[in-house]
Amino acid sequence: MNQQQAFLGKISWRSPSNIALIKYWGKKAGQIPASPSISMTLSKSFTQCTVSYDFHSARLRSEVNLFFNHQPAPENFAIKTTDFIRTLETVFPFLCHFRLTVHTFNSFPHSAGIASSASSMSALALCIATILSRSGQLPADSDFFRTASFMARLGSGSAARSVYGGYSLWGKTPLVENSSDKYAVPLNDFIHPVFREYGDAILVVSSGTKEISSSAGHAMMQNHSYSEGRIRQAGERLERLLQVLKEGKEQKFTDIVENEALTLHALMMSSEPAFFLLQPETIAILKKIKSFRAHTNLPVTFTIDAGPNVHLLYPLRYRKEITGFIASELEPHCENRQWIDDGIGSGPEQLIDEV
Ligand code: PMV
């Protein structure tokens, strides 16, 4: 590759969404989390992002053209993405000299009510990290995925965790060497085999857009009466979950993960002003999951993101029983009986690397 070729080309990454087990809720200036979080990277819910780029030294600010599903990107997505690129330019000024044409699509329907910022921001961060790397702008000894995670965090905190497959940790903790508030690290070295083969059935209660953005929710944690206690609690639960993931204790996994999900929503309901995102069908599903677990003794676990939809996590060895349970008991509570048959994934994949 000659110098000219390095500055002109097309890069494409497919990056998955992730579901937090220990939630990130509340942040400090500079997109620094109030407490560390742990997530499971998904497989089928991903964003595919393709960036065509060309360099011109005379350009003093990057030119950005954005497309979503082959159409000019909707305004809110365009604003968020352009802001993200402008933020990256302050850290990597070389980026200012590029014209970037970004084409994005999500594997999951736009109307599925699935948060797409983790997958979309991580996919774009991976493309931009690749462009900077090809242009010789990243130190030769830098860890590519760590740099991409650092960049993704500036677009959306949870996106920092999507650059690795399996389980990721974002946020500084003395319990994990090399952990950082500025990027996520993979946790896979010590994960017990029972947690390596996990399904995530995403039960779509409502496909509508959220009534409040996660940025607004994070901001409300700043003056929240329970803020201090929440930070302490997240740290304690993180320590317990790390142990559980290591030892393969499924029952304890359920206790921690479900409490985390309910805490997230309890924090929303006790914010000032208060808001709530759960719907009657969400509660009906949670109750059915608890009762199914009590009757069958199967280690099924629910978690919920910042919305009304439920993620049902289960060991893949029980797939037959769980899909039967979903079809008979849970589908009727889903909007148009819609659910996404996802599970733990192996992380982002690079698709095109053309010059
Ligand atoms: O990454 P953001 O700013 O969209 O915040 C995500 C917050 C939660 O999804 C509720 C929790 C998490 O850790 O992913």
Side-chain angles (χ1 to χ4, degrees), residues 37-38 45 60 69 74 86 96 104 120 166 173 182 207 210 233 241 263 266 272 274 277 283 290 326-327 337 350 352:
S37 55
I38 292 183
S45 305
L60 297 175
N69 286 344
R86 298 283 172 243
C96 296
T104 296
S120 61
T173 162
K182 296 194 171 165
S207 59
K210 288 185 284 186
Q233 177 191 58
L241 187 69
T263 300
E272 288 180 27
L277 303 177
I283 308 290
K290 274 174 161 288
I326 293 172
R337 301 184 76 97
Q350 186 170 0
I352 302 174

Side-chain angles (χ1 to χ4, degrees), residues 85-309:
I85 294 173
R86 298 283 172 243
T87 305
L88 289 178
E89 283 171 6
T90 63
V91 188
F92 302 96
F94 193 75
L95 207 50
C96 296
H97 301 300
F98 284 97
R99 173 168 43 220
L100 304 168
T101 302
V102 181
H103 280 268
T104 296
F105 78 83
N106 292 336
S107 64
F108 43 94
H110 182 55
S111 61
I114 311 281
S116 59
S117 62
S119 56
S120 61
M121 295 296 159
S122 59
L124 181 54
L126 285 156
C127 290
I128 292 181
T130 308
I131 295 168
L132 291 174
S133 163
R134 293 173 61 97
S135 318
Q137 295 299 309
L138 301 183
D141 61 348
S142 66
D143 177 320
F144 174 79
F145 287 100
R146 184 170 290 183
T147 306
S149 174
F150 171 92
M151 291 182 176
R153 173 192 119 248
L154 297 170
S156 170
S158 55
R161 301 183 308 237
S162 268
V163 306
Y164 308 107
Y167 295 84
S168 310
L169 164 87
W170 170 42
K172 182 83 191 141
T173 162
L175 304 167
V176 177
E177 214 189 330
N178 297 329
S179 59
S180 170
D181 284 342
K182 296 194 171 165
Y183 49 80
V185 292
L187 282 179
N188 299 311
D189 286 352
F190 60 79
I191 301 290
H192 191 279
V194 301
F195 291 119
R196 289 177 190 264
E197 308 255 290
Y198 248 65
D200 177 6
I202 308 172
L203 304 154
V204 181
V205 166
S206 168
S207 59
T209 44
K210 288 185 284 186
E211 69 189 60
I212 184 154
S213 70
S214 48
S215 301
H218 289 297
M220 280 185 208
M221 284 307 291
Q222 261 163 23
N223 298 316
H224 199 295
S225 322
Y226 301 152
S227 168
E228 234 182 276
R230 165 58 192 161
I231 292 170
R232 196 174 50 246
Q233 177 191 58
E236 285 162 8
R237 285 185 179 158
L238 184 110
E239 180 164 11
R240 280 167 48 216
L241 187 69
L242 285 171
Q243 200 58 30
V244 160
L245 289 172
K246 210 179 277 181
E247 292 171 354
K249 302 261 169 65
E250 290 173 314
Q251 167 68 53
K252 288 188 176 157
F253 175 87
T254 299
D255 294 344
I256 300 168
V257 171
E258 291 191 351
N259 281 341
E260 265 298 283
L262 297 174
T263 300
L264 171 69
H265 286 268
L267 287 167
M268 294 174 187
M269 288 186 241
S270 50
S271 289
E272 288 180 27
F275 62 103
F276 62 93
L277 303 177
L278 303 181
Q279 294 198 2
E281 300 297 336
T282 315
I283 308 290
I285 290 175
L286 301 190
K287 285 187 165 178
K288 283 202 171 163
I289 292 172
K290 274 174 161 288
S291 142
F292 176 77
R293 187 168 59 233
H295 284 103
T296 60
N297 247 332
L298 295 181
V300 291
T301 303
F302 66 72
T303 187
I304 323 169
D305 219 339
N309 303 326

